[in-house]
Amino acid sequence: MAAHLTQCPFCREAVPQVQLTRRTGPGPDGRPQMRRGLLYMLLAAVIFYFTGGYSAPLWMPAQVLPVVTNVLVPLLFFSGFGLTIYGLILRAKS
């Protein structure tokens, strides 16, 4: 059936008009990526603060391996930084 018809040519039943809209959600504007990247950076900073021994009155109840503070936390931070930059690039494109 052709798209411009309002009735079916065979049974004469009315065909409702369908409006197609743009899908909402994580679009190409980059805001969700920027927010998630900033959240990852904040999470890495908080983890580094507590596992690095900078919180004098609050001590960690368990010993944390040095690989966490030396490798994994900076990896999380720079991953968040990269995601933030990616969101900025997407935002500049839109």
Side-chain angles (χ1 to χ4, degrees):
M1 190 167 107
H4 68 280
L5 296 176
T6 59
Q7 285 185 341
C8 177
F10 304 108
C11 65
R12 302 286 184 214
E13 185 176 339
V15 177
Q17 294 292 327
V18 177
Q19 292 285 339
L20 297 177
T21 59
R22 202 171 151 180
R23 185 175 170 233
T24 60
D29 65 345
R31 282 186 186 206
Q33 287 83 6
M34 288 173 45
R35 243 189 325 257
R36 188 175 299 128
L38 290 172
L39 181 67
Y40 289 165
M41 290 168 61
L42 178 66
L43 178 66
V46 168
I47 291 172
F48 184 76
Y49 178 76
F50 285 108
T51 59
Y54 297 105
S55 60
L58 300 172
W59 297 103
M60 293 291 291
Q63 183 68 23
V64 179
L65 296 174
V67 72
V68 173
T69 56
N70 294 336
V71 177
L72 297 178
V73 172
L75 183 66
L76 179 64
F77 181 83
F78 287 118
S79 298
F81 183 71
L83 194 57
T84 303
I85 296 299
Y86 175 66
L88 284 172
I89 290 170
L90 284 179
R91 189 165 167 97
K93 280 185 177 180
S94 66

